[in-house]
Amino acid sequence: MPAKIDLMSLERALRNTDDFPKLARQYFKEVEGSAGKLSFDLVDPGLIIPPPAGTDRRETHYEFKDIPGGIAGWLIRCEVNNRLDRYDERKLTQPNAIRVVAEGDSWFQHPLIHDLIDHINNDPEFNVLSLASAGSELSQMVDPADYLKAVRKEQPKLFLLSASGNDFLGDIRPFVRPDRAPFPDTPAGYIKQPQYRALLEKLRVWLQEVFAAVLKKGTSVARVLMHTYAHVIPVPPANPSTPVPHNDDRAGPWLGLRFDELGFRDDNTRYEVAKAMLDQYRALCAEVAAEARWGGRVEVFSFKTDLSKPSQWFDEIHPKNGPAGKLAAEYLKRMKAA
């Protein structure tokens, strides 16, 4: 059990630690959020205690309930600030490291796991200024765009992007028809194509806006690199309606719960429908990356690492430390070749 601590002291400790996820996991856990959103809670509320007597009044009245976004917002901002500090430190201690700006979602910034950016930043050849924030949707990255200010100021060689997953996997219900007769012949037949294609066209426009803006502001940017996620494995909800409740120790469910609400009972069907959605998204991203106007400076790729086992995943949509390291290695290979 970790030491009890007041909130302001914990914030300082998290900002200064060299291993944010390790320290954060001592005090926080992932819990189910609304419509698939990431959410966190204290492992034990008793771990947070009042500050010592005589402490500045601003610290004695510093509580989660008074912070925008609650625990999740606070924890995400703590890691963002930790990374900003690490970036500035490495500019001084490793001035020749290649500068990189990253924007994205929880595949680039998850407070409780060593995500892709954590692994990439372990390579001394690069110094990553990451503005990624768990739960971000691509629609939120278009405007306001803080990363464009960073690109203009830092003039990085590389820009990394992890985006769009939350836009459709955050809540699949608007895009997937219920699992009832008449049953479709293929998993893709479950997708409400008019609704999903309309969203994909919005994602196309937003990706084009992000790529165009980055390449315009960052004259030094040699390559924009973006991944398209691995195929996720929905967690079957542990409820009476599911013949075999999950017991693989992953956090969740979000996707599994939404599938359950739509009447899905078969694990393989859940997986194949989610895979079909991701495959359509991958095809869209490939089309955008292939546009001649980028001059070959945009690369969108799919991971080759096999993540077909539930044991490789921390939850339904985020890989564990080891697999995440393998995915990061695929990024680093492309980064070194740019």
Side-chain angles (χ1 to χ4, degrees), residues 45 120-121 129 149 242 253 273:
I120 291 170
N121 235 350
L129 174 59
K149 298 176 184 177
T242 305
V273 173

Side-chain angles (χ1 to χ4, degrees), residues 42-305:
L42 288 164
V43 172
D44 179 355
L47 290 173
I48 303 300
I49 59 176
T55 303
D56 186 285
R57 185 177 183 278
R58 289 170 296 180
E59 299 191 21
T60 61
H61 289 73
Y62 189 46
E63 300 180 33
F64 285 126
K65 65 181 180 63
D66 300 321
I67 301 172
I71 292 177
W74 179 87
L75 190 57
I76 289 168
R77 284 192 295 274
C78 281
E79 185 170 32
V80 170
N81 288 332
N82 174 286
R83 288 176 166 180
L84 293 175
D85 290 346
R86 300 287 81 75
Y87 176 79
D88 287 338
E89 288 176 9
R90 292 179 75 168
K91 283 173 66 176
L92 297 175
T93 61
Q94 297 172 255
N96 294 324
I98 296 172
R99 295 186 184 183
V100 181
V101 171
E103 175 62 287
D105 50 29
S106 52
W107 272 58
F108 274 5
Q109 196 264 326
H110 191 301
L112 301 187
I113 58 179
H114 293 96
D115 53 50
L116 299 184
I117 295 299
D118 288 321
H119 287 282
I120 291 170
N121 235 350
N122 284 334
D123 190 317
E125 186 175 343
F126 301 98
N127 187 14
V128 182
L129 174 59
S130 177
L131 300 173
S133 179
S136 293
E137 298 181 357
L138 180 58
S139 58
Q140 299 168 318
M141 299 178 194
V142 177
D143 185 44
D146 290 339
Y147 60 88
L148 291 179
K149 298 176 184 177
V151 167
R152 183 171 57 247
K153 177 182 177 183
E154 302 298 326
Q155 287 299 307
K157 180 180 180 181
L158 299 167
F159 180 83
L160 311 184
L161 181 64
S162 175
S164 305
N166 290 315
D167 294 82
F168 60 93
L169 291 180
D171 188 355
I172 62 167
R173 290 172 295 183
F175 312 113
V176 177
R177 62 176 289 268
D179 187 22
R180 59 173 179 256
F183 299 103
D185 295 329
T186 65
Y190 283 100
I191 301 173
K192 297 178 181 178
Q193 291 296 343
Q195 293 90 330
Y196 192 48
R197 286 174 180 164
L199 173 65
L200 290 177
E201 287 307 309
K202 290 181 180 179
L203 296 181
R204 182 194 301 275
V205 172
W206 293 331
L207 284 174
Q208 290 168 333
E209 290 183 18
V210 171
F211 294 157
V214 168
L215 295 176
K216 179 180 179 180
K217 298 290 185 182
T219 56
S220 63
V221 176
R223 188 67 57 85
V224 174
L225 290 171
M226 175 184 172
H227 69 89
T228 57
Y229 309 101
H231 288 126
V232 298
I233 305 177
V235 172
N239 64 38
S241 69
T242 305
V244 184
H246 78 88
N247 59 358
D248 56 27
D249 297 323
R250 288 180 294 153
W254 305 298
L255 284 173
L257 179 61
R258 305 308 169 202
F259 274 117
D260 194 63
E261 292 173 355
L262 291 169
F264 288 81
R265 298 293 180 265
D266 180 68
D267 293 352
N268 186 64
T269 304
R270 292 187 182 97
Y271 172 80
E272 291 295 340
V273 173
K275 180 177 181 294
M277 295 181 73
L278 276 166
D279 286 345
Q280 284 188 235
Y281 163 71
R282 287 180 172 185
L284 167 80
C285 292
E287 290 176 9
V288 176
E291 293 180 17
R293 57 172 153 167
W294 314 131
R297 295 166 69 193
V298 173
E299 179 182 356
V300 176
F301 68 97
S302 299
F303 294 114
K304 294 182 179 179
T305 301

